[in-house]
Amino acid sequence: MTRSLVTQLLPGLKAHRLSGLDLGTDVVYPAYAGASLVNLPASLCHWLGVPPFGAAPLAEPWLRAVGGPFRHVLLLLVDGLGLDFFLQRAAQDSWAEILDGPGMVAPLTSVVPSTTSAALTTLWTGQPPAAHGVVGYEVWLKEYGMIANLITHAAASSPGDVGGLRRTGFDPLTFLPVPTLAPHLVQHDVRCVACQHHSIAHSGLSTMLQNGCELLPFRNLSDLWVNVLQHLAESAQQPSYTWMYWGDLDELSHRYGPTDERVELEYQAFARSLAQFVRRLRKRGRGDTLFLITADHGHLHTPKQAQYDLKNHPQMMDCLVMVPSSEARLPFLFVRPGHEERLQRYIAETWPGQFQLRRGTDLLAAGLFGEGEIYARVRDRIGDWVAVPAGNAYWWWANRENPLQGRHGGVSEIEMLTPLIGLVI
């Protein structure tokens, strides 16, 4: 039976602190030193028996729980699958079958911001956001003179213009200041395969992160599982790393909120399909394959409330040089000179106790966005102040209707804690 390390390791993650930084209660700080997503790339290398890449690997309890080395490592990223959401459903029939074998279930922390663009970049670079520079969903890029959506690679104000940044000279292959994982693995004779939905397989973000990978686009889960099984059969004698990304849970959680019936039904269907895939994997199993399942973040229910729509707060917007950026759950603020006190007073009076303002440079220095070297452009990107929300507070500033009832990006337990499931097959 898969061994659970949650009871053993979770209290340490919740108790972890960053020196000199107190962001209040119900906060989980990123454990970059050995218990976060940034530590997975070097761990993959450890399990595949190749030289390390990026930050340090996971700490000993995580590494020891699955053993190794392995000829094949699979990693399935389930976008939006928070630890709390997973644990509440881990005893369901499908998961009972999936976890009926050697391996582990353990907690990890995400990165800050706890969002897909930052977390996926971390998983493909082995570096935290402070080093790779992708510090949010929508980020001020001084060098291009705009707030850019770093998933669609478009101006944030033009969401339909997918890939439009290329017209400014933006090149996804040279944007990152750090190397990516696939060339490192290929250099050491590991076949690297990326399985993405066909709609995003050739997107700017995929191109930026997965350069050097063989691409296996899929249309649904059945297509994904068959593709992977065929790929493993072809690669039986060659070491391989297989990346799989599934985004439907995240999409529904954003649209309807993570407690909605649609989310639950989709997750149950996913678990049944996953169980069937694991059953087929085990039939061919030789003990040389490690199947990892993890997530980039969890989801917080954020019902639509007019009080958080900044179009209703012109006095606040008058204090800013531009609209906020990064995440609704971790906004970066660029303040007009001489308006800082007015901004602080307005936020404190309008949303008492709901937003804590911290200087971006202070959060960088404390290591919230990553320990070690900081990419020079990050200081421009995080703004003057960062608003850290409490509870389920958020801000909506886009010049269109707010369609979302679930969000992430902040530092609450729900957003920051993710599962790491490792199945030895």
Side-chain angles (χ1 to χ4, degrees):
M1 185 68 182
T2 302
R3 180 188 174 201
S4 177
L5 304 179
V6 175
T7 302
Q8 173 189 344
L9 299 175
L10 187 56
L13 296 188
K14 288 185 176 183
H16 173 62
R17 293 292 180 267
L18 297 176
S19 179
L21 184 62
D22 182 3
L23 297 177
T25 59
D26 188 35
V27 167
V28 166
Y29 298 87
Y32 294 123
S36 83
L37 296 179
V38 78
N39 308 111
L40 264 177
S43 303
L44 300 173
C45 293
H46 167 82
W47 286 316
L48 285 165
V50 303
F53 176 86
L58 291 165
E60 188 62 25
W62 285 264
L63 292 181
R64 185 175 60 244
V66 295
F70 300 95
R71 183 176 295 275
H72 307 288
V73 174
L74 317 177
L75 191 154
L76 171 62
L77 192 291
V78 182
D79 197 327
L81 179 61
L83 179 67
D84 182 69
F85 185 98
F86 168 75
L87 291 178
Q88 290 180 26
R89 295 156 179 81
Q92 293 176 350
D93 290 345
S94 295
W95 277 105
E97 178 183 353
I98 293 166
L99 300 176
D100 186 20
M104 70 168 175
V105 175
L108 287 180
T109 73
S110 185
V111 297
V112 174
S114 55
T115 195
T116 301
S117 56
L120 264 58
T121 306
T122 286
L123 287 169
W124 281 99
T125 64
Q127 299 293 340
H132 61 58
V134 179
V135 287
Y137 175 57
E138 296 178 343
V139 177
W140 164 246
L141 300 182
K142 181 178 179 179
E143 64 271 38
Y144 295 101
M146 71 174 71
I147 297 176
N149 182 312
L150 290 184
I151 287 183
T152 63
H153 289 181
S157 58
S158 302
D161 187 28
V162 176
L165 284 183
R166 285 184 178 272
R167 293 195 298 275
T168 70
F170 178 95
D171 183 352
L173 294 178
T174 61
F175 177 70
L176 295 176
V178 293
T180 52
L181 177 62
H184 175 79
L185 295 177
V186 172
Q187 180 185 358
H188 293 92
D189 300 319
V190 175
R191 185 181 181 190
C192 193
V193 174
C195 302
Q196 304 264 119
H197 191 268
H198 72 96
S199 62
I200 60 172
H202 300 281
S203 69
L205 182 65
S206 297
T207 299
M208 184 171 78
L209 300 181
Q210 295 160 11
N211 184 38
C213 284
E214 300 174 44
L215 299 180
L216 284 181
F218 65 89
R219 293 186 173 273
N220 54 31
L221 286 173
S222 299
D223 193 18
L224 169 62
W225 305 140
V226 173
N227 284 349
V228 172
L229 289 168
Q230 290 178 347
H231 145 61
L232 287 175
E234 295 167 2
S235 304
Q237 301 307 314
Q238 181 185 3
S240 68
Y241 171 58
T242 305
W243 161 272
M244 297 171 274
Y245 171 86
W246 185 65
D248 291 5
L249 186 73
D250 178 74
E251 182 178 351
L252 290 172
S253 296
H254 273 303
R255 181 69 55 176
Y256 301 106
T259 60
D260 187 81
E261 180 183 14
R262 299 169 184 83
V263 175
E264 186 65 38
L265 291 172
E266 187 67 20
Y267 184 69
Q268 291 175 10
F270 161 75
R272 289 192 296 270
S273 179
L274 177 63
Q276 184 181 51
F277 173 64
V278 171
R279 197 180 310 138
R280 295 183 67 182
L281 268 182
R282 284 175 173 149
K283 285 183 178 179
R284 64 165 294 281
R286 307 178 184 90
D288 65 351
T289 299
L290 177 62
F291 181 21
L292 300 169
I293 306 166
T294 192
D296 44 359
H297 55 75
H299 260 276
L300 201 64
H301 185 41
T302 55
K304 300 177 189 178
Q305 298 184 52
Q307 63 169 317
Y308 297 133
D309 193 331
L310 295 188
K311 72 181 179 185
N312 299 320
H313 301 277
Q315 303 97 315
M316 174 182 165
M317 296 302 291
D318 186 54
C319 296
L320 304 179
V321 174
M322 63 183 93
V323 297
S325 61
S326 189
E327 299 290 330
R329 287 279 303 160
L330 199 73
F332 297 170
L333 307 178
F334 296 78
V335 186
R336 290 174 59 191
H339 286 69
E340 290 193 351
E341 288 187 11
R342 180 185 170 202
L343 174 68
Q344 291 172 314
R345 184 169 58 252
Y346 186 86
I347 291 173
E349 292 174 354
T350 306
W351 300 283
Q354 294 186 66
F355 294 93
Q356 183 179 166
L357 287 185
R358 291 301 186 98
R359 288 197 179 275
T361 51
D362 291 344
L363 296 183
L364 265 180
L368 188 67
F369 299 99
E371 300 168 347
E373 187 173 350
I374 298 171
Y375 177 38
R377 294 191 184 277
V378 167
R379 290 179 176 86
D380 290 328
R381 294 176 185 177
I382 63 171
D384 305 304
W385 295 88
V386 176
V388 182
N392 62 357
Y394 67 92
W395 283 329
W396 176 260
W397 53 79
N399 190 25
R400 55 187 180 273
E401 286 301 311
N402 171 18
L404 306 180
Q405 299 197 60
R407 288 178 171 82
H408 53 81
V411 290
S412 72
E413 290 185 16
I414 296 296
E415 295 161 286
M416 283 295 296
L417 291 172
T418 68
L420 178 64
I421 301 135
L423 308 176
V424 179
I425 295 174

